Amino acid sequence: MVSATFYFPKGFLWGTATAAYQVEGNNTNSQWWEWEQQPGNILHDHKSGLACDWWSGRWREDLDRAVESHQNAHRISIEWSRIQPAPNRWDESAIDHYREIMRGMVERGLTPMVTLHHFSDPIWLSESGSWENDLIPNYFEKFVGKVVDALKEYVSSWVTINEPNVLLTFAYVLGQFPPGKKDLRNAIRVATNMINSHAAAYHLIHKIQPQAQVGIATNYRGFVPAKPWFPPDVWVARLQSRLFNDLFPVALRDGVLRFPVTVKRIPQAKNTQDFLGIDYYTCDRVSFNLFKVGEMFGRRFYPPDADLSDNGFIANEPEGLFTALKWALQFKKPIIITENGVEDSDDHLRPRYLLQHIHQLWRGVNFTWPVKGYFHWTLVDNFEWERGWTQRFGLWELDTETQARRKRPSADLYAQICRENCISSDMVSQYAPEIYAQMFPE
Ligand code: GAL
């Protein structure tokens, strides 16, 4: 049997990623909290409730879990609605609370990466139009200044906006996130406001902390032509990728927002990413369909033999991660995988998903591509937005009734990967023997 070990560079960041609204609990000042109360918005009308109860202090035990599993970094987010519950009020005790968490991370040997906006807005902001309001760059800049000033002692790695492409699509085009809008024309305004907000934050953070590393996390989705020999499928897959994957990173490189029929210059956004954050989960097959106008002429689907997650939400497509890395090279910046993971309550799929994706990551590393870190989504099962509690992405399982955690086998696997800074054929034979022959062919 062939055996091998694939090492990562010294100092590689290994961690998990979380988002405030999904783990803290009782975020009653967020627009998501209001959205949850309206029947039909969240699957089975689930409520975030206590979530993982981090705000009451369980962040400590969960970050201890991260440390026990040899992680050396953690991506966390800050809840704007806690820091600024009203337009003219800063909650200093919430700021102190976050300072304590950041100190807790540093003391545990976890390098913090902090996301400043992860889908959740204060209610007062949503009442004034959130991302449709042209004043949002000013509001965001003030909030960011307050946070960065307070946390700069512990943090120098910042994600301004998590997945602006997902936020734009789900909140303003598909209507599945608050405010539930379905208005493609409005999307240009929203995207412009996001880019302006990022740019304002980028410049301000560098003013406060010149050594800061600032970027966004883009959700990169693979779009593979259903019939690679059929030009319309190839064309539509490219179009979808340009719209979903390229829109924001290109705007932040060139200072130009390119929509299908509109081009907008935003010069202050030019060259405002210090690293490329990539959230990668899966790939679609795309076939050309003239009647899918709203979906940009593409029918998207998973192939019939796809290796699917519990709810069919994610197809295990590890090579898409390699494609994402290749795509990211065009930006000539360090690359960080800011999220990657799978919903899998009984952990039958996660071990192979994890090994196969980290294998693809290693292929990039082996070409000396500038990949600096990997954050698995996620540490403990959490509230998955419009899908409520139906999807379980945690290395640890959460019982929402009792708040008890139970380790899944993948947590042990990930601990070995983090400790040894590699993946090996031994790990594959122990945790995912079914892929051994494919990963280590004779
Ligand atoms: C991402 C999002 C995360 C998490 C994850 C898994 O799009 O940033 O907050 O929900 O998907 O569903």
Side-chain angles (χ1 to χ4, degrees):
M1 234 163 54
V2 178
S3 64
T5 304
F6 302 139
Y7 285 103
F8 282 76
K10 208 168 152 232
F12 195 81
L13 296 176
W14 292 108
T16 43
T18 54
Y21 193 83
Q22 295 176 273
V23 295
E24 287 178 354
N26 281 330
N27 267 314
T28 54
N29 275 323
S30 157
Q31 100 280 29
W32 268 92
W33 190 269
E34 280 195 328
W35 181 253
E36 280 179 38
Q37 312 312 313
Q38 298 157 30
N41 283 341
I42 311 288
L43 207 56
H44 307 310
D45 290 331
H46 282 171
K47 302 277 185 287
S48 58
L50 267 189
C52 307
D53 200 19
W54 273 28
W55 197 251
S56 312
R58 282 187 208 268
W59 61 270
R60 292 191 182 83
E61 54 167 290
D62 285 338
L63 293 182
D64 287 344
R65 290 185 173 92
V67 172
E68 279 159 28
S69 53
H70 306 283
Q71 298 171 36
N72 58 19
H74 185 77
R75 177 176 170 222
I76 194 167
S77 88
I78 303 289
E79 183 61 41
W80 187 349
S81 63
R82 286 197 191 272
I83 305 267
Q84 195 179 10
N88 52 3
R89 190 155 68 83
W90 299 102
D91 184 339
E92 297 296 334
S93 70
I95 295 173
D96 287 346
H97 196 99
Y98 281 117
R99 274 179 63 82
E100 196 188 339
I101 298 176
M102 299 308 142
R103 188 166 50 242
M105 267 195 264
V106 171
E107 282 169 2
R108 283 169 176 75
L110 296 169
T111 301
M113 170 180 249
V114 169
T115 309
L116 294 156
H117 186 278
H118 197 126
F119 296 165
S120 172
D121 301 333
I123 288 172
W124 63 263
L125 182 68
S126 76
E127 283 170 351
S128 77
S130 285
W131 298 96
E132 290 166 85
N133 182 340
D134 296 343
L135 289 175
I136 194 168
N138 305 44
Y139 296 142
F140 189 60
E141 190 181 16
K142 289 206 177 80
F143 158 69
V144 167
K146 190 85 182 166
V147 172
V148 173
D149 225 17
L151 305 184
K152 61 176 189 283
E153 185 181 344
Y154 305 109
V155 184
S156 58
S157 171
W158 307 93
V159 172
T160 54
I161 305 176
N162 177 67
E163 298 185 349
N165 54 341
V166 167
L167 185 57
L168 176 68
T169 311
F170 279 75
Y172 295 95
V173 180
L174 300 176
Q176 294 177 15
F177 282 9
K181 293 268 172 88
K182 294 182 188 171
D183 182 354
L184 204 54
R185 272 166 310 166
N186 195 28
I188 299 171
R189 176 181 211 144
V190 169
T192 307
N193 282 333
M194 287 174 172
I195 290 167
N196 274 322
S197 300
H198 164 84
Y202 179 90
H203 296 300
L204 179 64
I205 297 172
H206 276 288
K207 210 189 275 163
I208 301 174
Q209 193 183 46
Q211 81 282 17
Q213 291 292 299
V214 186
I216 56 166
T218 295
N219 183 303
Y220 181 96
R221 197 164 176 110
F223 298 102
V224 180
K227 296 184 288 300
W229 43 266
F230 186 52
D233 284 4
V234 175
W235 173 81
V236 81
R238 263 201 217 130
L239 174 71
Q240 304 241 332
S241 183
R242 257 210 309 277
L243 284 176
F244 190 75
N245 297 324
D246 295 8
L247 191 72
F248 287 96
V250 166
L252 304 188
R253 180 191 60 194
D254 301 345
V256 181
L257 178 63
R258 290 193 180 85
F259 257 77
V261 284
T262 320
V263 173
K264 243 185 145 166
R265 302 207 171 271
I266 311 180
Q268 64 277 24
K270 191 171 172 174
N271 199 14
T272 56
Q273 281 216 93
D274 301 321
F275 63 87
L276 251 279
I278 298 181
D279 294 357
Y280 174 79
Y281 288 91
T282 195
C283 274
D284 287 316
R285 297 290 182 281
V286 194
S287 62
F288 177 74
N289 187 323
L290 196 57
F291 303 106
K292 298 257 175 196
V293 183
E295 288 155 59
M296 295 293 154
F297 308 108
R299 185 175 75 84
R300 296 201 308 269
F301 58 96
Y302 292 145
D305 59 347
D307 187 15
L308 290 182
S309 65
D310 283 354
N311 293 278
F313 186 65
I314 287 171
N316 179 19
E317 296 277 3
E319 278 172 23
L321 179 58
F322 186 75
T323 311
L325 297 176
K326 220 155 71 183
W327 164 87
L329 289 177
Q330 65 180 298
F331 299 99
K332 300 188 171 53
K333 300 280 177 188
I335 301 165
I336 299 177
I337 302 303
T338 34
E339 286 179 30
N340 170 246
V342 67
E343 46 124 7
D344 180 26
S345 59
D346 68 4
D347 213 46
H348 69 283
L349 164 59
R350 189 177 288 102
R352 71 172 169 273
Y353 183 98
L354 191 53
L355 285 161
Q356 289 174 309
H357 283 77
I358 293 180
H359 182 215
Q360 294 298 329
L361 193 63
W362 174 82
R363 285 182 60 210
V365 164
N366 196 39
F367 286 130
T368 66
W369 294 351
V371 186
K372 305 296 180 195
Y374 172 90
F375 291 86
H376 189 75
W377 186 273
T378 184
L379 185 54
V380 179
D381 287 342
N382 62 24
F383 181 76
E384 283 294 341
W385 309 114
E386 84 289 6
R387 288 151 279 137
W389 293 99
T390 61
Q391 299 195 352
R392 301 301 180 127
F393 279 84
L395 294 174
W396 270 263
E397 181 184 335
L398 175 72
D399 181 333
T400 49
E401 298 293 309
T402 62
Q403 282 294 326
R405 276 81 166 141
R406 211 178 57 186
K407 191 159 64 164
R408 295 192 166 104
S410 289
D412 286 329
L413 165 61
Y414 193 49
Q416 270 189 47
I417 295 172
C418 299
R419 188 185 64 218
E420 294 168 28
N421 202 26
C422 67
I423 51 170
S424 67
S425 44
D426 281 351
M427 294 176 194
V428 176
S429 65
Q430 188 182 348
Y431 289 96
E434 71 279 10
I435 55 163
Y436 197 98
Q438 177 217 330
M439 241 172 110
F440 303 100
E442 292 286 339

